[in-house]
Amino acid sequence: MADHDLITDDLATGLTELTRTLVAARDIEQAWDQVATIAARMVPEQPMAGVTLRMGEHVQLVAATDAPVARIEEAQQRSGRGPGLEALDTAAPVSVPDIGAERRWAECRAEMLAEGIRSLHCEPLIADGPPIVALNFYSAIPHAFDRRARQLITIIAAVVSAATAAARQAELSEQLRAALASRSVIDQALGIIMGRERCTRSAAVTVLRDVSQRRNTKLAVVAADVIRSCTGADPEDLHFNESGRPPVPPGQRTGAQRLR
């Protein structure tokens, strides 16, 4: 098999692994370590890699393949200047073929040279709005990030951006599903209280909230207890039909215990 085919297969495998890692992650922030490791493995010469995340005015390192990356990031934080910060500020890649000839970011550059770093490439992840994540690669080899390496990094960044957006959308969808499920359980409990106490919905809400506050327990948990006291069983799992609406709850039984 030709070298070109091997490179293509390795790239495809790495991109697939990156996508699966991000889309399958329950918490995206916890997936960045794997992203950094996989991305570094995909780039020629396998440089050190880190991921920086901007949160408001603060930028922090959320993943690093090697200790020197963390120390370089600390130098950027102290001085407020560095290649990763510049990539985020300008929404453009920052590539330095020879750190020894670089004159920007004095403190950060000194730290990189002390750590044996001789070239770097920082790639912002571009999605909707200003970039909030940058992939940062550091190599002990001068001119390590040639045109081909930079192209690979651009492809990696594009895939990570898309996979991150998909993962965040899935996370939001799961949060919405959980919120709707809780809402359904609360509505069923309110119906039980209204029927039992012969009161209005507003009064039933007050009863449920009072118990929630007294027990220091979430409203949905108290509502589930109400349903169990009435039916003798846990609330049914919430499923949605094709219209996206939950099914009509089953009829409520009478003669349940009073909520204590």
Side-chain angles (χ1 to χ4, degrees), residues 180-194 196 207-208 211 215 218-238 247-260:
L180 290 172
S182 294
R183 182 72 262 171
S184 176
V185 170
I186 291 170
D187 284 343
Q188 291 176 56
L190 290 175
I192 292 171
I193 295 171
M194 290 166 66
R196 189 182 61 206
V207 170
L208 207 58
V211 176
R215 294 182 182 175
K218 290 183 178 180
L219 206 62
V221 174
V222 175
D225 288 343
V226 173
I227 294 172
R228 290 189 194 96
S229 73
C230 179
T231 66
D234 291 335
E236 294 182 359
D237 290 338
L238 187 63
V248 177
Q252 297 146 354
R253 292 191 238 168
T254 58
Q257 289 182 317
R258 284 187 170 277
L259 180 66
R260 299 188 186 278

Side-chain angles (χ1 to χ4, degrees), residues 111-249:
E111 183 65 39
M112 286 188 281
L113 290 172
E115 296 291 349
I117 302 301
R118 292 298 178 266
S119 59
L120 66 85
H121 184 90
C122 301
E123 187 82 19
L125 303 190
I126 307 298
D128 294 332
I132 62 170
V133 178
L135 298 179
N136 308 312
F137 298 89
Y138 303 94
S139 176
I141 303 171
H143 301 274
F145 302 98
D146 58 12
R147 182 171 175 272
R148 176 174 164 274
R150 295 195 302 272
Q151 287 177 333
L152 282 172
I153 292 172
T154 299
I155 293 170
I156 292 168
V159 170
V160 172
S161 291
T164 301
R168 289 195 182 280
Q169 186 59 48
E171 188 177 304
L172 290 173
S173 296
E174 177 60 23
Q175 290 172 358
L176 176 60
R177 187 207 65 78
L180 290 172
S182 294
R183 182 72 262 171
S184 176
V185 170
I186 291 170
D187 284 343
Q188 291 176 56
L190 290 175
I192 292 171
I193 295 171
M194 290 166 66
R196 189 182 61 206
E197 303 293 338
R198 298 184 181 277
C199 64
T200 65
R201 180 182 175 85
S202 178
V205 168
T206 299
V207 170
L208 207 58
R209 283 180 176 165
D210 286 347
V211 176
S212 174
Q213 292 172 359
R214 190 167 66 247
R215 294 182 182 175
N216 193 25
T217 305
K218 290 183 178 180
L219 206 62
V221 174
V222 175
D225 288 343
V226 173
I227 294 172
R228 290 189 194 96
S229 73
C230 179
T231 66
D234 291 335
E236 294 182 359
D237 290 338
L238 187 63
H239 299 287
F240 295 92
N241 57 33
E242 293 181 358
S243 69
R245 298 187 182 89
V248 177

Side-chain angles (χ1 to χ4, degrees), residues 20-93:
R20 286 177 177 168
T21 296
L22 282 164
V23 172
R26 284 190 168 275
D27 183 344
I28 297 171
E29 277 61 43
Q30 294 179 357
W32 289 123
D33 278 327
Q34 291 175 273
V35 169
T37 299
I38 297 168
R41 197 168 62 230
M42 294 170 65
V43 178
E45 307 298 341
Q46 298 190 358
M48 293 180 282
V51 180
T52 50
L53 174 67
R54 167 164 279 160
M55 303 173 66
E57 296 298 317
H58 181 62
V59 178
Q60 68 179 61
L61 183 73
V62 293
T65 59
D66 301 86
V69 176
R71 291 192 283 269
I72 291 167
E73 179 59 31
E74 288 174 3
Q76 290 193 75
Q77 293 297 321
R78 286 194 303 268
S79 64
R81 300 180 66 217
L85 296 177
E86 186 167 315
L88 288 171
D89 289 340
T90 63

